[in-house]
Amino acid sequence: MPAAVSTTVLTARGLLLDMDGTLVNSDAVVERVWRRWADRHGLDGDDVMKVVHGRQGYASMAVLLPHRPMEQNLADNARMLAEETADLDGVVPVPGAPAFLASLRDVPHALVTSADAPLSTARMAAAGLALPEIRVTAESVGASKPDPEGFLKGAAELGMAPADCVVFEDSGAGIAAGRAAGMRVVGVGPRAAAHRPDVVVGDLTAVRVEVAGDGVRIHVTV
C-alpha cells in the first residue's frame, strides 16, 4: 500500500535560500575539511560534525574551543574557507535544486549563506546552479547563524517584511535563525527534521512554487 501523500501550501512574497545542504550538497567537502581540523585540535570528529553545519567557521570554533581567543578563530576560519573553496570534489546539487531555482525566475528571492562570496560562487558553479542576483554572504553580516541578521538583511534587500518571507534551510542553526527573524521555515534534508521547521522535505523535488497575484504559493508535498 503506497504511503499517504499530503500537500502543505505556504503563501509568501519572497524566498530566502540557504546554500549548503539546501541547494548544494557539499557534505563530502565539509566532512573532509572539518575532520582534519578536529584531528589537528585533538577533538572527536563526530562531535565536531554535530556543531559545524549552518554556522560560519569561526562561530563553530568558538563553540568547540570556547577558551581560544576569537582572533585565532577568525584567522583559522580564513584558512578553512580557502581550503574549502579549493576542494570541490563531490559538490553536487541537492535533488530538485536546478528546477526549483529555474522556477524562481519571476519570484523575489535571495541567497543567505554562511559561506563567503568566493566559496558560495565556487560551490554553486560546481553544482551547476545559477547564483541568485541578491546574495547575503559571510562578508555581509556581523553575526553568524543562528543569529537572524542574515535573514533580516535578505528580507530588507528584497524590500519585504520578515513575515512575508519563507526560509529554506537544512541545519539547526539556520532554522533557528529563520525562526528568530520571524519567518516561516521549510526544512530540507535529513538534518532539518530534528529542528522542527514549519514543514520538512527530503529534497527540493517535493517543492513547487507558483506565482499568484503579488506573491507566491509554495506547494510542499510530504
Side-chain angles (χ1 to χ4, degrees):
M1 185 174 179
V5 174
S6 64
T7 300
T8 298
V9 180
L10 303 175
T11 58
R13 293 184 57 225
L15 278 57
L16 300 175
L17 314 173
D18 174 53
M19 182 182 71
D20 292 301
T22 301
L23 299 174
V24 172
N25 183 343
S26 57
D27 282 0
V29 180
V30 174
E31 287 271 346
R32 284 195 294 272
V33 170
W34 278 99
R35 285 186 182 277
R36 284 198 298 266
W37 183 89
D39 287 344
R40 288 197 297 269
H41 294 281
L43 300 174
D44 181 83
D46 290 341
D47 290 341
V48 167
M49 296 314 301
K50 292 173 184 176
V51 171
V52 300
H53 292 290
R55 292 179 170 87
Q56 290 191 44
Y58 76 84
S60 295
M61 293 169 191
V63 172
L64 294 161
L65 298 173
H67 303 298
R68 191 166 78 155
M70 183 55 73
E71 57 266 27
Q72 286 185 240
N73 294 338
L74 292 168
D76 212 359
N77 183 51
R79 289 189 291 271
M80 293 276 284
L81 285 169
E83 193 176 343
E84 289 184 89
T85 302
D87 183 356
L88 299 173
D89 187 27
V91 173
V92 295
V94 166
F100 172 72
L101 282 174
S103 75
L104 303 185
R105 179 165 38 190
D106 298 319
V107 176
H109 64 286
L111 188 73
V112 181
T113 175
S114 294
D116 65 2
L119 180 56
S120 59
T121 300
R123 282 191 177 159
M124 290 289 280
L129 300 175
L131 276 168
E133 183 177 339
I134 297 174
R135 302 183 287 276
V136 179
T137 59
E139 302 94 333
S140 309
V141 297
S144 169
K145 299 172 185 175
D147 191 281
E149 181 185 358
F151 286 125
L152 293 173
K153 283 200 169 187
E157 289 282 341
L158 296 179
M160 297 177 185
D164 289 331
C165 297
V166 167
V167 166
F168 284 73
E169 262 286 0
D170 74 300
S171 70
I175 291 167
R179 287 196 176 283
M183 301 171 183
R184 292 153 293 159
V185 181
V186 175
V188 180
R191 284 187 289 270
H195 304 286
R196 305 182 69 178
D198 293 275
V199 62
V200 64
V201 295
D203 58 47
L204 293 171
T205 61
V207 179
R208 180 172 64 87
V209 178
E210 171 192 21
V211 177
D214 65 346
V216 295
R217 291 192 183 97
I218 304 163
H219 299 260
V220 181
T221 302
V222 295

